[in-house]
Amino acid sequence: MQVLVASSAQDQGAAAADAVLDRLAACASPVLGIATGSSPLPLYKQLARRSRELPRLRAFALDEYLGLPAGHPQSYREVVRREVVEPLGLDPAEVHVPDGAAPDPQRAAAAYEELIRAAGGIDVQILGIGSNGHLAFNEPGSALDSRTRAVELTHSTREANARFFPSLGDVPIQALTQGLGTIREARSLVLLASGPEKAEAIAAALTGPVTPEVPASVLQLHPDVTVLLAGGAETGLAPGSYRLVRENSAAGR
């Protein structure tokens, strides 16, 4: 596992873009895993600036709320369109999001697993981490070998996401999410986290025991993980356990 700490969001995003582009370039038919939320935004900004370096690729989102109407601005299908597909110039037909409007969520989850499998699996999976250690919408207690499925969201996760909705009551209570086992099958993982509110979760995930109570601790079981931290997210880690990102390492490209 490589843990890098940047002095700014720009440098964090630039270093993350280096990691993603280097790995995608080695793939004949690259498949990218997309995360939503605030954490990966510096990466997407840098990838948009360097979109000419992006190969033609297919992409799969990690998760989607259940129960939001089609076109809802906070559905992850719409968020992915705004924040990833359009800025990066991806082909919308090659970007997939779990079907949060499916009448049978479990069948939709199984179909999504099969779609990923048919694509040859994820080459590079972008990730964020919740303050409770969740990965995608795998909340504490999720099985380390779990697959894509419908899940209940914890109150803390709904509170964290309430900033995107008119009120907490408008935040969905369920979602479809790739499982921890699904995520672990990606060939490379690139996780971004920023802010002191993520420090405890990062320390538990990277240095604590591997346990379902800290879903992101499955990172320790993967052979190719790059973690990029900024804004105090590293404060729970021991000095010497991470490397500083050289300022503007790729931002000027």
Side-chain angles (χ1 to χ4, degrees):
M1 183 184 298
Q2 180 177 215
V3 182
L4 305 174
V5 176
S7 60
S8 69
Q10 182 180 15
D11 288 335
Q12 180 194 34
D18 283 343
V20 170
L21 290 169
D22 287 349
R23 285 160 177 77
L24 291 177
C27 303
S29 299
V31 180
L32 180 65
I34 297 170
T36 53
S38 302
S39 295
L41 291 180
L43 166 59
Y44 297 143
K45 183 176 180 179
Q46 291 296 326
L47 290 178
R49 293 181 69 249
R50 300 169 62 181
S51 60
R52 291 183 180 180
E53 299 177 48
L54 278 171
R56 182 173 180 177
L57 54 81
R58 289 168 290 178
F60 290 86
L62 278 172
D63 41 30
E64 175 62 288
Y65 289 117
L66 284 175
L68 292 182
H72 190 287
Q74 294 309 321
S75 72
Y76 286 161
R77 185 174 299 277
E78 286 298 302
V79 172
V80 165
R81 178 187 60 78
R82 293 193 307 267
E83 296 180 352
V84 184
V85 174
E86 293 178 355
L88 274 58
L90 303 184
D91 180 354
E94 298 288 357
V95 179
H96 306 281
V97 181
D99 185 1
D104 186 338
Q106 296 298 358
R107 179 174 294 182
Y112 201 66
E113 281 272 335
E114 180 55 37
L115 196 61
I116 294 172
R117 191 175 299 113
I122 306 293
D123 290 305
V124 184
Q125 178 63 62
I126 299 165
L127 297 166
I129 184 173
S131 57
N132 65 357
H134 74 231
L135 207 61
F137 274 136
N138 293 282
E139 302 282 19
S142 296
L144 301 181
D145 61 353
S146 54
R147 311 303 301 187
T148 302
R149 66 204 188 284
V151 296
E152 299 282 332
L153 303 182
T154 64
H155 182 73
S156 64
T157 294
R158 294 180 66 241
E159 277 190 324
N161 290 357
R163 67 190 188 278
F164 300 116
F165 291 84
S167 71
L168 177 60
D170 294 300
V171 182
I173 61 174
Q174 294 181 307
L176 284 176
T177 185
Q178 289 186 37
L180 296 174
T182 313
I183 292 168
R184 285 173 58 192
E185 289 178 356
R187 285 173 272 280
S188 296
L189 306 179
V190 177
L191 182 141
L192 293 87
S194 299
E197 69 277 7
K198 298 295 181 71
E200 183 176 351
I202 284 291
L206 304 191
T207 66
V210 177
T211 169
E213 296 311 309
V214 184
S217 64
V218 297
L219 296 173
Q220 298 180 45
L221 304 178
H222 198 280
D224 184 7
V225 181
T226 302
V227 178
L228 298 116
L229 307 175
E234 76 283 2
T235 53
L237 301 177
S241 64
Y242 53 82
R243 182 165 59 86
L244 298 179
V245 173
R246 182 168 59 87
E247 289 187 10
N248 301 314
S249 59
R253 293 186 182 183

